[in-house]
Amino acid sequence: MIGLDYRHVLPFVSEAEIHNIAGRAEEAARKLTAKTGPGNEFLGWLDYPLTIKEKEIDEIIEAGKEIVNSAKVLVVIGIGGSYLGAQAVMDMMSDYFPADKRTQIIFAGNTLSSSYTARLLEYLENKDFSLNVISKSGTTTEPAIAFRLFRQLLRKKYGKEYYKRVYCATTIGKGALYNMARKNGYRLFSIPENIGGRYSVFTPVGLLPLAVSGIDIKELIAGAREAAIRHKSAPYPENEALIYAALRNLLYNKGKLIELLVFYEPKMRFFGEWYKQLFGESEGKENKGIFPASALYTTDLHSLGQYVQEGKRHLFETIVDVANPDLDIAIPAEAEDFDELNYLAGKTLSEVNKKALKGTVLAHVAGEIPNLLITIERLDPYHIGALLYFFMFACGVSGYLLGINPFNQEGVESYKRNMFALLGRKGYEELKKKLEEL
Ligand code: PA5
């Protein structure tokens, strides 16, 4: 289901080291699956694809249809784990040049950009639109501000009936969003309390916007389910998620502090954003953690490639490759070979892309950059579901191998406290004074 080829790590990490870490990796996986490690109150995602009921998925699909039938645009409001998964999957599954037929999905509330927000409000003025507001806590500032602004426009356009166009995903029974939804009659979907934002793509957080975009969410869950069965039980040498986590840990301990997740398919660019949040927010704690970065090759070989080849040797690459592209195209021959490309005539673009991949791996390994290769068969909901689950499981194991709690994110609060103080929020007066002296 997920291919993992680590032969290009072997010049840097020995077979013996990979063998010797087996016990620690299996112990980390045991802690995860037995729910005995730190953060175990947030492990609802582990079994979610196995336990979600057909009926719940059908309800989401129905709500999706309702949105498609009534809105030209769905504004998905959320930040961090509340939107990255949906946007990543949507990008991987969408046409590069979508025909303007289905409901357009636009993400908002993940930035404080005044220009973006004002322009989007203007864009929506004469379009039928609905809102999907996603916030587990129900109190995050960026989406809360966006919700206020877009709610006002919705009210202006649709009057008292506006509430029928608001679909919320939040923790049931808690938080401002839940209370507003109850009071105003917004449609509510549950984000289970025991699932953190960055692990929530298989809950209504990801499923509702994905259903609206026409993606087969049942297949997505089916892929995740298969991956859950495999990664939760397969022993170390056969469990790609465990081996991947173990290799990351071994490389980290050899000073490889940055992981560059590499794609050769532009549709995966946003998957890199999802991965960065998953690993960055999970592992970056107690002055530890691999810094997650991502790049699109061969595009970025013409920007980052020089650094990767010859810059500081503190990184490794993990390629996520799609074995079978959706489409392929042969390079034609020309009678006059002015561009000297006739040697490629008859070859397909994907063959050239694969050779670029191989050539780059060999060049980078020669330049002391360890390389891992993860492969999925194709970009379809089933394989994407498996890929997302693979990374989530590997992230949990990686975090435990590192000795941190991969399921909290207290560090994110620091900027919020300062922002609240500087904006004059009640209760932050002391901090405000301190910050203004700086
Ligand atoms: O992964 C996480 O937990 C975070 O990135 C959250 O998703 C993000 O901070 C948004 O939080 P909320 O959904 O509570 O608005």
Side-chain angles (χ1 to χ4, degrees), residues 79-82 135-138 140 196-198 277 281 409:
I79 195 164
S82 286
S135 176
K136 185 183 176 200
S137 62
T140 306
R198 58 194 176 277
Q277 194 227 356
E281 218 166 81
Q409 58 283 324

Side-chain angles (χ1 to χ4, degrees), residues 212-280:
V212 175
S213 74
I215 289 163
D216 186 342
I217 57 174
K218 287 194 176 171
E219 274 298 292
L220 187 84
I221 294 289
R225 194 183 301 130
E226 279 304 304
I229 293 167
R230 173 163 187 79
H231 299 307
K232 283 176 64 192
S233 61
Y236 176 75
E238 289 147 38
N239 193 328
E240 301 82 3
L242 261 62
I243 302 265
Y244 171 53
L247 290 171
R248 293 178 90 251
N249 191 265
L250 290 167
L251 290 166
Y252 174 72
N253 288 328
K254 287 175 188 279
K256 303 297 181 190
L257 305 180
I258 299 171
E259 179 177 37
L260 193 57
L261 202 75
V262 170
F263 320 108
Y264 280 77
E265 165 50 57
K267 281 186 173 186
M268 299 192 75
R269 224 175 199 152
F270 219 89
F271 176 73
E273 300 305 309
W274 175 83
Y275 145 85
K276 282 192 266 189
Q277 194 227 356
L278 177 66
F279 280 87

Side-chain angles (χ1 to χ4, degrees), residues 132-411:
N132 180 196
V133 193
I134 307 168
S135 176
K136 185 183 176 200
S137 62
T139 56
T140 306
T141 310
E142 293 89 338
I145 294 176
F147 185 29
R148 181 179 279 210
L149 291 166
F150 291 101
R151 186 168 72 233
Q152 286 212 348
L153 178 61
L154 211 54
R155 237 195 243 124
K156 190 175 115 194
K157 279 173 74 98
Y158 302 101
K160 274 200 318 224
E161 299 288 288
Y162 90 97
Y163 73 94
K164 292 186 179 159
R165 290 178 172 268
V166 183
Y167 299 78
C168 302
T170 191
T171 309
I172 301 299
K174 259 203 206 161
L177 185 57
Y178 172 76
N179 292 332
M180 281 165 72
R182 286 305 301 267
K183 185 165 172 288
N184 297 306
Y186 307 149
R187 182 78 184 269
L188 259 173
F189 292 90
S190 162
I191 307 180
E193 258 200 280
N194 60 0
I195 301 184
R198 58 194 176 277
Y199 296 86
S200 70
V201 60
F202 299 120
T203 73
V205 169
L207 295 186
L208 181 57
L210 291 174
V212 175
S213 74
I215 289 163
D216 186 342
I217 57 174
K218 287 194 176 171
E219 274 298 292
L220 187 84
I221 294 289
R225 194 183 301 130
E226 279 304 304
I229 293 167
R230 173 163 187 79
H231 299 307
K232 283 176 64 192
S233 61
Y236 176 75
E238 289 147 38
N239 193 328
E240 301 82 3
L242 261 62
I243 302 265
Y244 171 53
L247 290 171
R248 293 178 90 251
N249 191 265
L250 290 167
L251 290 166
Y252 174 72
N253 288 328
K254 287 175 188 279
K256 303 297 181 190
L257 305 180
I258 299 171
E259 179 177 37
L260 193 57
L261 202 75
V262 170
F263 320 108
Y264 280 77
E265 165 50 57
K267 281 186 173 186
M268 299 192 75
R269 224 175 199 152
F270 219 89
F271 176 73
E273 300 305 309
W274 175 83
Y275 145 85
K276 282 192 266 189
Q277 194 227 356
L278 177 66
F279 280 87
E281 218 166 81
S282 297
E283 285 195 320
K285 284 157 202 170
E286 301 175 28
N287 299 325
K288 299 185 206 172
I290 294 172
F291 184 83
S294 66
L296 174 67
Y297 289 175
T298 60
T299 313
D300 293 336
L301 287 174
H302 297 260
S303 60
L304 297 172
Q306 172 61 39
Y307 187 102
V308 177
Q309 190 65 53
E310 294 181 349
K312 196 164 169 64
R313 305 296 74 189
H314 57 353
L315 44 92
F316 65 98
E317 289 177 308
T318 299
I319 301 165
V320 183
D321 189 40
V322 182
N324 303 295
D326 294 343
L327 300 167
D328 210 350
I329 183 165
I331 298 168
E334 276 187 0
E336 295 153 326
D337 188 21
F338 285 136
D339 52 11
E340 295 176 10
L341 287 180
N342 271 356
Y343 80 104
L344 294 178
K347 287 198 168 51
T348 68
L349 209 50
S350 83
E351 282 177 71
V352 177
N353 209 14
K354 298 281 181 221
K355 294 290 183 231
L357 185 155
K358 185 167 182 186
T360 307
V361 168
L362 295 176
H364 288 180
V365 171
E368 301 285 303
I369 300 291
N371 255 263
L372 274 155
L373 177 64
I374 290 168
T375 313
I376 58 167
E377 227 169 272
R378 56 179 51 83
L379 278 185
D380 61 15
Y382 181 83
H383 291 95
I384 291 171
L387 185 70
L388 295 166
Y389 192 95
F390 161 84
F391 273 104
M392 281 156 52
F393 195 88
C395 186
V397 176
S398 276
Y400 283 160
L401 278 171
L402 205 59
I404 50 91
N405 175 355
F407 305 111
N408 62 4
Q409 58 283 324
E410 272 141 39

